[in-house]
Amino acid sequence: MGNLVFAAKVAHVPTMYLSEQEGPFKGCRQSAVDGHRAMGKRMKDLGVDTVIVLDTHWLVNNAYHINGNAHFKGVFTSNEFPHLLADMPYEHEGNPEMSDLIAKIATEEKGVTVRSHHIASLELEYGTLIPMWLMGAKEYGFKVVSVACLCTVHDHMESAKVGEAIREAIRRMDGNFAIVASGSLSHAIHPNTTLKTMDHFFTISNEFYKQVDLRALDLWKEGRFKEFTDMLPLYAKTCHGEGLMHDTAMLLGALGWDKYDRGVEIVTPYFEAAGTGQVNAVFPVAA
Ligand SMILES: [Fe+2]
């Protein structure tokens, strides 16, 4: 019987990568980088074997999809922001058995079609690569399973059921698992016409989004997930949540959805990035 020992919602903005490179951005995201490093160390100390990353950068237009490759190796350049994130080498082990089991449980027992893929040329997206790099997945030996969460035609309750399948798969496997939801809160990137100065990397696109994000975080900190799951679909739509926040729906599905009532721990305080709202938050899991 396996255990879920760690769960979190985390940022993956490209300036976190640049923050670690020589140049004008060096150190600009130190708080977020430190948060990722601290979470990686905690996962190591908790004996995590496999990290299941819910990646809001992997776009899917029907069903749900998991990258179940046994090994990942490559050099990543973002086709979204090639000037910000280029030539990033990576190498991780996968967990094909876990990927297959999640897909089987979701499809056969939860009624939501999930496909587990073993295609060597199916690459990881940077919603997976940046957190796994900063959390030390390679150094600590975490296996990586990446779940597509830029879900364009999906219902949040379907994603919650995928989360339930992930939790059930963890129960049926051996080992210690972590779930990392990789995506923003509000995600209204600045309009192109406003990109005049470096400021746009460090500001929200509208105060409305920030205020709703902060209210959502208050609910999280107070463990009020009945209210949060009620507001999630409209919040994700109105505030342009990254991947429509299907990563968050999956994470909460794994934790009990509206029954989850633990107060989250803010590891990196709310920050603004290129118009979006970001946070690193740990969701406590029962021992
Ligand atoms: Fe993103």
Side-chain angles (χ1 to χ4, degrees), residues 25-42:
F25 289 93
K26 188 169 179 61
C28 74
R29 295 293 186 204
Q30 197 62 52
S31 175
V33 167
D34 290 347
H36 275 48
R37 294 225 166 95
M39 288 187 283
K41 176 71 166 53
R42 277 165 72 167

PDB file of all heavy atoms in Angstrom, residues 25-42:
ATOM      1  N   PHE A  25      18.088  39.150 -14.937  1.00  0.00           N
ATOM      2  CA  PHE A  25      17.039  38.591 -14.086  1.00  0.00           C
ATOM      3  C   PHE A  25      17.594  37.827 -12.883  1.00  0.00           C
ATOM      4  O   PHE A  25      16.831  37.325 -12.075  1.00  0.00           O
ATOM      5  CB  PHE A  25      16.148  37.636 -14.894  1.00  0.00           C
ATOM      6  CG  PHE A  25      15.255  38.321 -15.891  1.00  0.00           C
ATOM      7  CD1 PHE A  25      15.666  38.499 -17.195  1.00  0.00           C
ATOM      8  CD2 PHE A  25      14.003  38.794 -15.524  1.00  0.00           C
ATOM      9  CE1 PHE A  25      14.847  39.124 -18.124  1.00  0.00           C
ATOM     10  CE2 PHE A  25      13.172  39.416 -16.436  1.00  0.00           C
ATOM     11  CZ  PHE A  25      13.598  39.584 -17.738  1.00  0.00           C
ATOM     12  N   LYS A  26      18.900  37.739 -12.766  1.00  0.00           N
ATOM     13  CA  LYS A  26      19.484  36.897 -11.716  1.00  0.00           C
ATOM     14  C   LYS A  26      18.958  37.291 -10.335  1.00  0.00           C
ATOM     15  O   LYS A  26      19.017  38.455  -9.946  1.00  0.00           O
ATOM     16  CB  LYS A  26      21.008  36.980 -11.738  1.00  0.00           C
ATOM     17  CG  LYS A  26      21.658  35.975 -10.788  1.00  0.00           C
ATOM     18  CD  LYS A  26      23.151  35.879 -11.001  1.00  0.00           C
ATOM     19  CE  LYS A  26      23.791  34.888 -10.021  1.00  0.00           C
ATOM     20  NZ  LYS A  26      23.275  33.523 -10.177  1.00  0.00           N
ATOM     21  N   GLY A  27      18.422  36.301  -9.633  1.00  0.00           N
ATOM     22  CA  GLY A  27      17.921  36.537  -8.283  1.00  0.00           C
ATOM     23  C   GLY A  27      16.529  37.131  -8.200  1.00  0.00           C
ATOM     24  O   GLY A  27      16.001  37.325  -7.096  1.00  0.00           O
ATOM     25  N   CYS A  28      15.898  37.397  -9.359  1.00  0.00           N
ATOM     26  CA  CYS A  28      14.623  38.137  -9.335  1.00  0.00           C
ATOM     27  C   CYS A  28      13.487  37.317  -8.735  1.00  0.00           C
ATOM     28  O   CYS A  28      12.472  37.892  -8.323  1.00  0.00           O
ATOM     29  CB  CYS A  28      14.254  38.614 -10.733  1.00  0.00           C
ATOM     30  SG  CYS A  28      13.668  37.322 -11.856  1.00  0.00           S
ATOM     31  N   ARG A  29      13.623  36.005  -8.702  1.00  0.00           N
ATOM     32  CA  ARG A  29      12.567  35.146  -8.131  1.00  0.00           C
ATOM     33  C   ARG A  29      13.117  34.306  -6.992  1.00  0.00           C
ATOM     34  O   ARG A  29      12.741  33.143  -6.825  1.00  0.00           O
ATOM     35  CB  ARG A  29      12.002  34.219  -9.221  1.00  0.00           C
ATOM     36  CG  ARG A  29      11.276  34.906 -10.352  1.00  0.00           C
ATOM     37  CD  ARG A  29       9.990  35.553  -9.898  1.00  0.00           C
ATOM     38  NE  ARG A  29       9.235  36.088 -11.038  1.00  0.00           N
ATOM     39  CZ  ARG A  29       8.357  37.059 -10.952  1.00  0.00           C
ATOM     40  NH1 ARG A  29       8.111  37.628  -9.788  1.00  0.00           N
ATOM     41  NH2 ARG A  29       7.711  37.474 -12.016  1.00  0.00           N
ATOM     42  N   GLN A  30      14.009  34.896  -6.207  1.00  0.00           N
ATOM     43  CA  GLN A  30      14.686  34.119  -5.174  1.00  0.00           C
ATOM     44  C   GLN A  30      13.703  33.467  -4.209  1.00  0.00           C
ATOM     45  O   GLN A  30      13.892  32.317  -3.804  1.00  0.00           O
ATOM     46  CB  GLN A  30      15.661  35.017  -4.402  1.00  0.00           C
ATOM     47  CG  GLN A  30      16.692  34.233  -3.616  1.00  0.00           C
ATOM     48  CD  GLN A  30      17.574  33.390  -4.523  1.00  0.00           C
ATOM     49  OE1 GLN A  30      18.147  33.885  -5.485  1.00  0.00           O
ATOM     50  NE2 GLN A  30      17.656  32.088  -4.252  1.00  0.00           N
ATOM     51  N   SER A  31      12.641  34.183  -3.847  1.00  0.00           N
ATOM     52  CA  SER A  31      11.682  33.631  -2.884  1.00  0.00           C
ATOM     53  C   SER A  31      10.995  32.381  -3.448  1.00  0.00           C
ATOM     54  O   SER A  31      10.843  31.376  -2.738  1.00  0.00           O
ATOM     55  CB  SER A  31      10.637  34.700  -2.538  1.00  0.00           C
ATOM     56  OG  SER A  31       9.639  34.162  -1.714  1.00  0.00           O
ATOM     57  N   ALA A  32      10.599  32.436  -4.705  1.00  0.00           N
ATOM     58  CA  ALA A  32       9.937  31.271  -5.318  1.00  0.00           C
ATOM     59  C   ALA A  32      10.930  30.127  -5.505  1.00  0.00           C
ATOM     60  O   ALA A  32      10.602  28.956  -5.265  1.00  0.00           O
ATOM     61  CB  ALA A  32       9.317  31.664  -6.652  1.00  0.00           C
ATOM     62  N   VAL A  33      12.153  30.461  -5.926  1.00  0.00           N
ATOM     63  CA  VAL A  33      13.187  29.434  -6.107  1.00  0.00           C
ATOM     64  C   VAL A  33      13.493  28.758  -4.764  1.00  0.00           C
ATOM     65  O   VAL A  33      13.560  27.521  -4.673  1.00  0.00           O
ATOM     66  CB  VAL A  33      14.465  30.062  -6.705  1.00  0.00           C
ATOM     67  CG1 VAL A  33      15.648  29.111  -6.605  1.00  0.00           C
ATOM     68  CG2 VAL A  33      14.219  30.460  -8.162  1.00  0.00           C
ATOM     69  N   ASP A  34      13.639  29.570  -3.733  1.00  0.00           N
ATOM     70  CA  ASP A  34      13.901  29.007  -2.397  1.00  0.00           C
ATOM     71  C   ASP A  34      12.737  28.118  -1.948  1.00  0.00           C
ATOM     72  O   ASP A  34      12.943  27.078  -1.306  1.00  0.00           O
ATOM     73  CB  ASP A  34      14.112  30.129  -1.376  1.00  0.00           C
ATOM     74  CG  ASP A  34      15.424  30.870  -1.581  1.00  0.00           C
ATOM     75  OD1 ASP A  34      16.282  30.375  -2.342  1.00  0.00           O
ATOM     76  OD2 ASP A  34      15.580  31.958  -0.988  1.00  0.00           O
ATOM     77  N   GLY A  35      11.505  28.544  -2.268  1.00  0.00           N
ATOM     78  CA  GLY A  35      10.331  27.741  -1.918  1.00  0.00           C
ATOM     79  C   GLY A  35      10.371  26.381  -2.590  1.00  0.00           C
ATOM     80  O   GLY A  35      10.099  25.350  -1.959  1.00  0.00           O
ATOM     81  N   HIS A  36      10.716  26.360  -3.870  1.00  0.00           N
ATOM     82  CA  HIS A  36      10.813  25.076  -4.578  1.00  0.00           C
ATOM     83  C   HIS A  36      11.909  24.191  -3.976  1.00  0.00           C
ATOM     84  O   HIS A  36      11.720  22.988  -3.796  1.00  0.00           O
ATOM     85  CB  HIS A  36      11.106  25.311  -6.067  1.00  0.00           C
ATOM     86  CG  HIS A  36       9.863  25.562  -6.881  1.00  0.00           C
ATOM     87  ND1 HIS A  36       8.897  26.443  -6.510  1.00  0.00           N
ATOM     88  CD2 HIS A  36       9.441  25.030  -8.057  1.00  0.00           C
ATOM     89  CE1 HIS A  36       7.920  26.440  -7.417  1.00  0.00           C
ATOM     90  NE2 HIS A  36       8.234  25.591  -8.372  1.00  0.00           N
ATOM     91  N   ARG A  37      13.040  24.801  -3.674  1.00  0.00           N
ATOM     92  CA  ARG A  37      14.139  24.007  -3.102  1.00  0.00           C
ATOM     93  C   ARG A  37      13.720  23.423  -1.749  1.00  0.00           C
ATOM     94  O   ARG A  37      14.012  22.256  -1.450  1.00  0.00           O
ATOM     95  CB  ARG A  37      15.381  24.893  -2.955  1.00  0.00           C
ATOM     96  CG  ARG A  37      15.941  25.339  -4.293  1.00  0.00           C
ATOM     97  CD  ARG A  37      17.465  25.201  -4.345  1.00  0.00           C
ATOM     98  NE  ARG A  37      17.932  25.322  -5.712  1.00  0.00           N
ATOM     99  CZ  ARG A  37      18.376  26.446  -6.267  1.00  0.00           C
ATOM    100  NH1 ARG A  37      18.455  27.547  -5.554  1.00  0.00           N
ATOM    101  NH2 ARG A  37      18.773  26.447  -7.533  1.00  0.00           N
ATOM    102  N   ALA A  38      13.030  24.245  -0.955  1.00  0.00           N
ATOM    103  CA  ALA A  38      12.594  23.764   0.365  1.00  0.00           C
ATOM    104  C   ALA A  38      11.585  22.626   0.216  1.00  0.00           C
ATOM    105  O   ALA A  38      11.635  21.632   0.961  1.00  0.00           O
ATOM    106  CB  ALA A  38      11.988  24.925   1.163  1.00  0.00           C
ATOM    107  N   MET A  39      10.673  22.747  -0.752  1.00  0.00           N
ATOM    108  CA  MET A  39       9.691  21.678  -0.955  1.00  0.00           C
ATOM    109  C   MET A  39      10.371  20.406  -1.452  1.00  0.00           C
ATOM    110  O   MET A  39      10.007  19.297  -1.047  1.00  0.00           O
ATOM    111  CB  MET A  39       8.594  22.143  -1.924  1.00  0.00           C
ATOM    112  CG  MET A  39       7.657  23.169  -1.307  1.00  0.00           C
ATOM    113  SD  MET A  39       6.241  23.588  -2.364  1.00  0.00           S
ATOM    114  CE  MET A  39       7.038  24.668  -3.550  1.00  0.00           C
ATOM    115  N   GLY A  40      11.368  20.550  -2.326  1.00  0.00           N
ATOM    116  CA  GLY A  40      12.103  19.368  -2.794  1.00  0.00           C
ATOM    117  C   GLY A  40      12.794  18.653  -1.651  1.00  0.00           C
ATOM    118  O   GLY A  40      12.753  17.420  -1.538  1.00  0.00           O
ATOM    119  N   LYS A  41      13.410  19.443  -0.759  1.00  0.00           N
ATOM    120  CA  LYS A  41      14.085  18.852   0.401  1.00  0.00           C
ATOM    121  C   LYS A  41      13.079  18.135   1.303  1.00  0.00           C
ATOM    122  O   LYS A  41      13.356  17.035   1.814  1.00  0.00           O
ATOM    123  CB  LYS A  41      14.807  19.968   1.168  1.00  0.00           C
ATOM    124  CG  LYS A  41      15.480  19.539   2.453  1.00  0.00           C
ATOM    125  CD  LYS A  41      16.719  18.684   2.168  1.00  0.00           C
ATOM    126  CE  LYS A  41      17.627  18.509   3.375  1.00  0.00           C
ATOM    127  NZ  LYS A  41      16.984  18.031   4.571  1.00  0.00           N
ATOM    128  N   ARG A  42      11.903  18.758   1.492  1.00  0.00           N
ATOM    129  CA  ARG A  42      10.873  18.119   2.318  1.00  0.00           C
ATOM    130  C   ARG A  42      10.431  16.796   1.698  1.00  0.00           C
ATOM    131  O   ARG A  42      10.230  15.796   2.403  1.00  0.00           O
ATOM    132  CB  ARG A  42       9.674  19.056   2.489  1.00  0.00           C
ATOM    133  CG  ARG A  42       9.903  20.057   3.599  1.00  0.00           C
ATOM    134  CD  ARG A  42       8.930  21.188   3.571  1.00  0.00           C
ATOM    135  NE  ARG A  42       7.578  20.807   3.974  1.00  0.00           N
ATOM    136  CZ  ARG A  42       6.631  21.695   4.264  1.00  0.00           C
ATOM    137  NH1 ARG A  42       6.901  22.985   4.208  1.00  0.00           N
ATOM    138  NH2 ARG A  42       5.433  21.306   4.630  1.00  0.00           N
TER     139      ARG A  42
END
